């Protein structure tokens, strides 16, 4: 039988440990965010619907995005036991330079619309963490100002080839002059994808004040105050900024982009050049034969062709075919450090985060981006320790099983025939 007694005051005092309150509201909400999805929840609460949906949404039914995220959830990790990994080295060499972590920040367009610190916050946070930052052609901070925000870190530039080729050529020259070391030649945007959330929201650049936007702004006055009291949005390559995002992309992009354009840009660019938006094995082979330094398996975050291939599923086959000859990287769907660890184990040399960074930006500006990086860093470190690996080089395909959810019909028939 349990023996009971009256509580002793001294013992009660030991249990009553009061946490000192944090007066900084931004720090308080960011500290409470333990995952990227937590940052997304905060971002949704603090950002007007049209701007949040532009970031959060994808093309058409958004199947490409949901499948990419599901692919990372549908993995099984296989730890090694009795292999001490008290300290882990998460650093890597990528495209001729160092990165303190196996991921960098992907290019995102119209970033100051999400939060007014925009690309400067992303570049500064990346520089502070020792990882690369990528500026988009459709960025809202100039090439030169990104360099100022990240003067000693690695800056990469993402290039769209536009109808007016001279605009693209001028950007290449400016990025080279500013010391950007890598160019991401993007090939998956000949025309704009059908981003239905934006159409339904009537989202335009710049945002238009309508009855709906005013009502939506009432609980988020800080966003509008920031937007209206900071410098006008300026885009790196567009002479006009009026219209929907789709209209802007369609007026700027050129569906006739070809290998000839890649040759021209490669001849102009002094640093490393990678092709972003690769979605099959054959194109991977052709690009490596064409002499590019690397490829990024990506379906543009699901924002272009819906039902496009899942980059994480494509990764093993591409690595088998070209991994010895070129740097293979991956983006789309990464929301956890374990996603990054799994990608490295399956042969990717590097990964890029887009929405994860923007959720942090919307949740708290530069401090929010710092929080994104820290959350992923902690998750990567913990996952590696639990797997029993001390460095990225120790990660191997045997550490990951990709569980099957979407199986091509032909593959199902072949398996059935083999079984019979």
């Amino acid at each position: 039988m349990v023996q009971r007694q009256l509580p002793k005051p001294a013992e009660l005092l030991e249990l009553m440990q009061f946490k000192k309150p944090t007066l900084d509201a931004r720090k308080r909400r960011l500290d409470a965010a333990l995952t990227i999805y937590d940052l997304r929840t905060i971002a949704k609460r603090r950002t007007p619907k049209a701007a949040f949906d532009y970031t959060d949404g994808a093309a058409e039914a958004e199947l490409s995005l949901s499948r990419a995220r599901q692919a990372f959830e549908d993995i099984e990790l296989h730890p090694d036991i009795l292999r001490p990994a008290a300290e882990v080295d998460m650093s890597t060499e990528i495209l001729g330079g160092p990165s303190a972590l196996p991921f960098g920040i992907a290019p995102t367009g119209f970033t100051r619309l999400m939060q007014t610190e925009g690309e400067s916050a992303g570049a500064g946070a990346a520089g502070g963490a020792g990882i690369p930052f990528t500026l988009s052609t459709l960025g809202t901070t100039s090439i030169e100002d990104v360099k100022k925000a990240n003067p000693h870190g690695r800056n990469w530039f993402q290039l769209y080839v536009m109808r007016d080729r001279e605009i693209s050529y001028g950007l290449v020259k400016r990025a080279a002059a500013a010391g950007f070391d890598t160019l991401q030649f993007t090939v998956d945007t000949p025309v704009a994808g059908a981003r239905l959330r934006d159409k339904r929201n009537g989202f335009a650049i710049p945002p238009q004040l309508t009855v709906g936007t005013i009502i939506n702004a009432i609980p988020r006055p800080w966003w509008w105050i920031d937007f209206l009291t900071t410098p006008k949005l300026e885009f790196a390559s567009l002479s006009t900024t009026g219209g929907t995002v789709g209209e802007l992309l369609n007026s700027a992009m050129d569906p006739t982009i070809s290998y000839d354009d890649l040759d021209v840009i490669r001849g102009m660019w002094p640093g490393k050049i990678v092709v972003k938006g690769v979605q099959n094995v054959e194109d991977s082979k052709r690009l490596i034969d064409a002499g590019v330094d690397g490829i990024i398996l990506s379906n543009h975050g699901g924002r272009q062709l819906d039902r496009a291939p899942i980059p994480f599923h494509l990764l093993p086959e591409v690595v088998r075919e070209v991994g010895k000859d070129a740097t293979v990287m991956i983006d789309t769907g990464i929301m956890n450090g374990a996603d990054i660890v799994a990608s490295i184990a399956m042969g990717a040399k590097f990964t890029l985060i887009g929405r994860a960074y923007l959720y942090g930006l919307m949740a708290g500006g530069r401090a929010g981006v710092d929080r994104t990086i820290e959350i992923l860093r902690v998750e990567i470190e913990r996952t590696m320790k639990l797997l029993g690996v001390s460095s990225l080089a120790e990660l191997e395909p045997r550490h990951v099983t990709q569980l099957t959810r979407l199986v091509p019909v032909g593959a199902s028939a072949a398996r059935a025939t083999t079984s019979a």
Side-chain angles (χ1 to χ4, degrees):
M1 186 172 179
V2 176
Q3 182 179 355
R4 299 188 181 278
Q5 63 183 25
L6 291 174
K8 298 179 181 179
E11 293 176 351
L12 286 175
L13 288 174
E14 289 180 7
L15 297 174
M16 297 172 64
Q17 300 292 327
F18 295 101
K19 185 178 179 180
K20 185 179 179 180
T22 302
L23 299 180
D24 185 334
R26 180 168 63 177
K27 186 178 187 307
R28 188 166 60 245
R29 68 174 177 267
L30 292 177
D31 286 349
L34 304 181
T35 68
I36 301 301
Y37 282 106
D38 289 343
L39 289 175
R40 179 186 179 276
T41 299
I42 298 169
K44 186 174 184 179
R45 186 171 67 241
R46 296 186 57 81
T47 311
K49 177 177 173 58
F52 177 82
D53 278 354
Y54 170 72
T55 304
D56 192 61
E60 301 189 42
E62 305 188 358
L63 295 174
S64 289
L65 175 59
S66 63
R67 288 175 180 177
R69 288 181 173 168
Q70 189 68 57
F72 283 117
E73 294 178 7
D74 289 348
I75 62 172
E76 186 175 81
L77 297 173
H78 305 289
D80 294 324
I81 62 170
L82 300 179
R83 292 189 60 178
E87 301 293 333
V88 298
D89 181 3
M90 294 175 280
S91 65
T92 188
E93 289 282 321
I94 183 69
L95 296 169
S99 179
L101 296 165
F103 68 91
I105 292 181
T108 59
F110 313 114
T111 309
R112 283 186 55 227
L113 280 171
M114 294 77 167
Q115 203 271 352
T116 52
E117 294 178 58
E119 291 90 354
S120 293
I131 64 176
F133 173 83
T134 313
L135 174 65
S136 169
T137 289
L138 300 181
T140 48
T141 303
S142 72
I143 291 169
E144 293 76 16
D145 284 343
V146 163
K147 179 65 175 180
K148 290 177 183 176
N150 186 21
H152 306 298
R154 298 189 66 189
N155 293 307
W156 297 355
F157 186 73
Q158 175 267 334
L159 181 72
Y160 288 122
V161 175
M162 299 192 170
R163 293 177 188 270
D164 184 346
R165 296 294 197 269
E166 292 303 320
I167 292 176
S168 297
Y169 299 160
L171 292 170
V172 170
K173 293 173 183 176
R174 284 173 59 190
F180 284 48
D181 65 76
T182 296
L183 187 76
Q184 292 183 12
F185 185 94
T186 300
V187 296
D188 58 4
T189 317
V191 296
R195 301 172 191 179
L196 302 185
R197 286 204 221 182
D198 295 343
K199 292 184 178 181
R200 292 183 179 120
N201 288 330
F203 183 51
I205 307 294
Q208 303 298 306
L209 288 172
T210 65
V211 173
T213 56
I214 291 172
I215 292 173
N216 187 251
I218 291 173
R220 303 170 180 85
W222 52 80
W223 189 94
W224 284 100
I225 291 170
D226 281 347
F227 178 76
L228 296 172
T229 60
T230 52
K232 179 183 177 181
L233 290 174
E234 293 183 349
F235 299 92
S237 60
L238 298 180
S239 58
T240 177
T241 59
T244 66
V245 174
E247 290 168 346
L248 288 170
L249 287 174
N250 282 332
S251 68
M253 304 311 161
D254 189 346
T256 69
I257 181 175
S258 69
Y259 275 86
D260 290 339
D261 292 297
L262 176 59
D263 289 340
V264 171
I265 298 299
R266 182 170 173 78
M268 297 175 61
W269 181 251
K272 301 289 187 179
I273 186 166
V274 300
V275 176
K276 182 179 184 291
V278 182
Q279 298 179 60
N280 64 59
V281 175
E282 290 306 313
D283 282 338
S284 301
K285 293 179 180 178
R286 291 191 193 101
L287 289 165
I288 301 311
D289 290 341
V292 301
D293 297 296
I295 57 175
I296 301 174
L297 303 179
S298 170
N299 62 31
H300 212 99
R303 297 166 73 80
Q304 285 299 110
L305 177 66
D306 204 15
R307 300 177 176 86
I310 300 167
F312 184 58
H313 284 175
L314 187 61
L315 177 63
E317 189 176 0
V318 170
V319 169
R320 280 195 297 270
E321 293 293 334
V322 304
K324 293 181 180 179
D325 303 314
T327 298
V328 179
M329 297 178 280
I330 186 175
D331 72 13
T332 304
I334 293 171
M335 293 287 284
N336 189 287
D339 303 341
I340 296 170
V341 171
S343 298
I344 302 300
M346 296 303 289
K349 292 293 192 297
F350 203 63
T351 63
L352 294 162
I353 60 165
R355 287 183 181 86
Y357 138 62
L358 294 177
Y359 293 144
L361 179 67
M362 290 186 287
R366 161 67 192 271
V369 184
D370 290 335
R371 185 63 180 149
T372 291
I373 295 171
E374 178 61 13
I375 287 171
L376 293 174
R377 187 198 66 78
V378 169
E379 290 172 343
I380 292 169
E381 180 180 31
R382 180 172 59 245
T383 302
M384 289 177 67
K385 286 183 175 181
L386 289 171
L387 286 175
V389 298
S390 299
S391 69
L392 299 177
E394 294 179 28
L395 289 167
E396 299 176 351
R398 67 182 180 81
H399 288 112
V400 180
T401 296
Q402 292 180 315
L403 304 177
T404 301
R405 184 180 294 256
L406 296 172
V407 181
V409 172
S412 299
R415 289 177 185 175
T417 301
T418 302
S419 299

